[in-house]
């Protein structure tokens, strides 16, 4: 365990409505104390970081990460995904169950937890809703919860059966855990490669309509209302879906939602290759870049605006990456054959800081959706720098520019549409329970990396 004094950083902690220069002392894995900048006394034997010009926040929490182990270790392992997480500033990540085999038994929940315990980030386990994620028979949700599952999802697929979802939501009410649904109607999305609209027409790609998402979001709300269960909408991406969630929340329905950085910063126009996204970046991108293929697809400008409004007014509770690493062979092919998903843990921060620079979200809104927002959904005392709490801390340089190259990423998944771009914003130190799990480059005394 290393103690640390982080001096003169800009401390942004939405759980305390705090955004001010300050000093932060970490001791014995806990947040010990906060002072206004420069007021912390000299603390003997404590490693110091001069954080002038840096931002200090609670460790980020990601509700939606695909780690691929077991089954597809060529795409990612729990260890590499965990290292990518802390490099991106995430100290807690939720592992989705679409592995092979799926995380649909207590033994599998325990297995993932055991393997993850050796890693850099805290890994919480989301278990499957249905056995084998087949959408036919409910998994043993009570046993999965007892084994430590923090929620249930057949992600990758929706819970297509209304009856199955109704039963799952009834359990959700008893267990007080969310059913995290990937809302895309399997019939309406069949064969779809990107968002349905003028861009898809122009590119000659089959589209999936926004309504494919909206019919399931509306259904999830109706069944949450019927059962009193908790529906969590994964990677919400359309304007109408945001409106449905807003309305449901106003009526007191137990529904929550997450949005991804990619749905917040990109539109379907980028499938045509209009780049770069980051000002000053030299990267030029070709159309039909398979790294822009993701489910749900990148949407229209109107949808993006609605997502931003939903984040600002609290309709959307959290930003989650939907980190979906794939092997190069899954992406080096025709658009129609490419696997959907993009590697997101390490580019989330620069993508979101771009929105701050453009004046679309405040830094506090971004950090809220990465910390206290998801912590509340998990019901855990995380996502805060309150004294006495767990010392999960992220320190980043908002103006540090770096180029997104395969080598720059810890993740095995190099499948990001930002490849080649010069982005701004980099995590320089990540502490998990007071331990440096990433970075430590700017410490005035070296802080040993404990792995
Ligand atoms: O694009 C996606 N990829 N969306 C999902 O929901 C699943 C994910 C994956 O597992 O690759
Ligand atoms: Zn999904």
């Amino acid at each position: 365990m290393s103690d640390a004094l982080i001096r003169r950083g800009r401390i942004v902690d939405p759980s305390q409505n705090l955004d001010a220069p300050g000093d932060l002392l970490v001791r014995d894995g806990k947040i010990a104390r906060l002072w206004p900048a420069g007021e912390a006394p000299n603390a003997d034997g404590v490693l110091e970081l001069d954080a002038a010009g840096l931002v200090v926040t609670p460790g980020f929490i990601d509700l939606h990460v695909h780690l691929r182990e077991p089954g597809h270790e060529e795409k990612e392992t729990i260890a590499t995904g965990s290292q990518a997480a802390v490099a991106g500033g995430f100290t807690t990540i939720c592992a989705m169950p679409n592995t092979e085999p799926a995380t649909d038994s207590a033994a599998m929940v325990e297995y993932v937890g055991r393997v993850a315990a050796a890693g850099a980030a805290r890994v919480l386990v989301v278990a499957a809703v249905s056995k084998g994620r087949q959408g036919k028979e409910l998994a043993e949700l009570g046993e999965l919860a007892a084994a430590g599952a923090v929620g249930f999802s057949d992600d990758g697929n929706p819970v297509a059966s209304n009856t199955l979802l109704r039963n799952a939501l009834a359990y959700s009410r008893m267990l007080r855990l969310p059913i995290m649904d990937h809302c895309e109607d399997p019939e309406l999305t069949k064969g779809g490669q990107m968002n349905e609209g003028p861009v898809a027409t122009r590119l000659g790609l089959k589209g999936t309509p926004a309504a494919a998402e909206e019919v399931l979001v509306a259904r999830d709300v109706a069944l949450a209302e019927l059962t009193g269960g908790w529906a969590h909408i994964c990677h919400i991406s359309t304007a109408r879906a945001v409106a449905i969630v807003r309305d449901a929340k106003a009526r007191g329905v137990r529904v929550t939602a997450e949005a991804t950085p990619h749905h917040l910063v990109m539109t379907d126009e980028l499938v045509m290759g209009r780049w770069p996204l980051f000002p000053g970046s030299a990267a030029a991108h070709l159309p039909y870049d398979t790294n822009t293929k993701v489910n749900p697809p990148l949407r229209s400008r109107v949808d993006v605006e609605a997502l931003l409004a939903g984040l600002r007014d609290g309709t959307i509770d959290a930003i989650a990456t939907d980190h979906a690493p794939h092997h190069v062979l899954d992406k080096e092919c025709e658009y129609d054959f490419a696997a959907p998903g993009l590697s997101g843990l390490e580019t989330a921060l620069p993508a979101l800081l771009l929105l701050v620079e453009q004046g679309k979200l405040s830094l506090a809104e971004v950090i809220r959706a990465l910390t206290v927002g998801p912590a509340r959904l998990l019901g855990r005392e995380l996502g805060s720098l309150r004294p006495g709490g767990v010392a999960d801390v992220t320190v980043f340089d908002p103006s540090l520019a770096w180029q997104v190259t395969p080598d720059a990423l810890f993740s095995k998944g190099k499948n990001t549409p930002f490849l080649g771009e010069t982005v701004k914003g980099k995590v320089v130190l990540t502490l998990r329970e007071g331990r440096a799990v990433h970075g430590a480059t700017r410490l005035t005394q070296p802080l040993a990396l404990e792995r």
Side-chain angles (χ1 to χ4, degrees), residues 80-103:
T80 57
S82 193
Q83 197 61 49
V86 295
F90 294 91
T91 47
T92 302
I93 56 177
C94 297
M96 296 308 272
N98 62 337
T99 48
E100 283 181 38
T103 315

Side-chain angles (χ1 to χ4, degrees), residues 64 66 68 98 155-157 182 184 235 293-296 322-326 339-342:
H64 193 139
H66 297 277
R68 309 300 191 204
N98 62 337
D155 185 62
N157 301 327
H182 173 125
E184 283 197 297
H235 40 56
K293 180 170 170 179
V294 61
N295 290 337
D322 192 10
H323 176 74
H326 286 295
L342 54 92

